[in-house]
Amino acid sequence: MEMRKSLLVIAAMAAVDGTARADVTLPGSSESNTNSGWFATVDKSLEEQPHWVCPLVTVFPQLVEEFRYDEIAQNKVGGITLTNNGGGVRGLELIPSEHVEILIGQPGYMNLQTPKTTISGWTDESLLVKYRFLAANEENGNYVVSGFMGVSIPTGNTPFTQNATVTTPTLAVGKGWGTRGQGVAVMSTLSESFPSGNQNYLGEPVVWNTAFQGHFSNYFWPEIETSLTHWKGGAFSGKDQLIVTYGINFGRIPLDGRIKLTLGVGYQTANMSGFSTFGSGWVITTRLLF
């Protein structure tokens, strides 16, 4: 139901934007790539960068215009299960100018089940601005360098809020080899989070994500991702956690005009580190590109 509501909101926004901008050709028109206006800016920006698909976990170094919805399930020690419906750095992503993307996050709805009780509630709101410094498509170098600034606002329910505003600057890079039809790519991000309060619990985690992605047979994108977190201060001070995700994306599947669909699924597990906040889990993603 939440996903259906979100998609309806996107459709309404697109209709309003199309009405307000007389110089924008409607999606699906043969002139949508050449007219001035919003979609022309989007098309120009996308053409200037590699055409990889978004990894399951690592935040995309490229700019993208889409709505993304994820389902995440984690199995923890002691028979605890945590599900996150729609959360993370996910939601509505827009390209307002050639080198800039903004993301309006969709707060996730969490469900924590223990052998004795069940607790549910919303997570914090997240916002992100992405600036692409350098990029070249597959014919001109196949690389990208970007910077992000993310902000998490403590709007969630107890116990799923961080009780502080958290800013997270990120550097992101990517390099590919091959063509638009097939090849391989490596994408990596390095970030550190700085909470405005509650430091005794949150600390300042440093996160290094890397995605190794292949592209075969048009819509087939297998991948392996690593996520290494080192906590500076806070409840987990000095600890390291390495999570590996084994996944696959299917995309970009044409739907109607410029609208495309990408679906993905991945299995996550803690590897090569003696500490983990969870044992294993699954992530499922649905992305509507426009």
Side-chain angles (χ1 to χ4, degrees), residues 98-253:
E98 186 177 346
H99 298 279
V100 176
E101 176 196 320
I102 58 173
L103 183 149
I104 304 171
Q106 174 179 304
Y109 188 77
M110 303 282 274
N111 190 288
L112 179 66
Q113 293 182 319
T114 73
K116 295 183 178 181
T117 187
T118 298
I119 303 172
S120 300
W122 295 98
T123 61
D124 294 338
E125 174 61 63
S126 59
L127 304 170
L128 184 142
V129 177
K130 184 186 301 185
Y131 187 86
R132 191 183 64 198
F133 299 110
L134 300 169
N137 60 25
E138 288 80 353
E139 294 78 22
N140 296 285
N142 209 5
Y143 61 84
V144 62
V145 180
S146 299
F148 316 154
M149 179 58 73
V151 179
S152 175
I153 304 170
T155 59
N157 301 128
T158 304
F160 303 114
T161 178
Q162 299 185 90
N163 289 313
T165 298
V166 181
T167 57
T168 306
T170 303
L171 177 65
V173 297
K175 179 70 177 79
W177 297 266
T179 66
R180 300 190 188 201
Q182 61 181 7
V184 295
V186 179
M187 291 163 269
S188 192
T189 63
L190 181 63
S191 67
E192 183 170 358
S193 296
F194 301 94
S196 63
N198 201 20
Q199 287 95 341
N200 289 339
Y201 177 74
L202 297 176
E204 296 179 355
V206 178
V207 181
W208 178 26
N209 281 2
T210 303
F212 305 90
Q213 186 180 86
H215 181 204
F216 311 98
S217 303
N218 293 329
Y219 304 123
F220 185 64
W221 301 79
E223 65 172 41
I224 297 176
E225 298 188 53
T226 61
S227 180
L228 177 63
T229 302
H230 172 73
W231 279 273
K232 297 166 59 177
F236 303 136
S237 180
K239 295 185 180 296
D240 298 296
Q241 173 180 267
L242 178 63
I243 302 299
V244 179
T245 303
Y246 306 91
I248 184 171
N249 286 293
F250 301 93
R252 304 171 178 93
I253 304 167

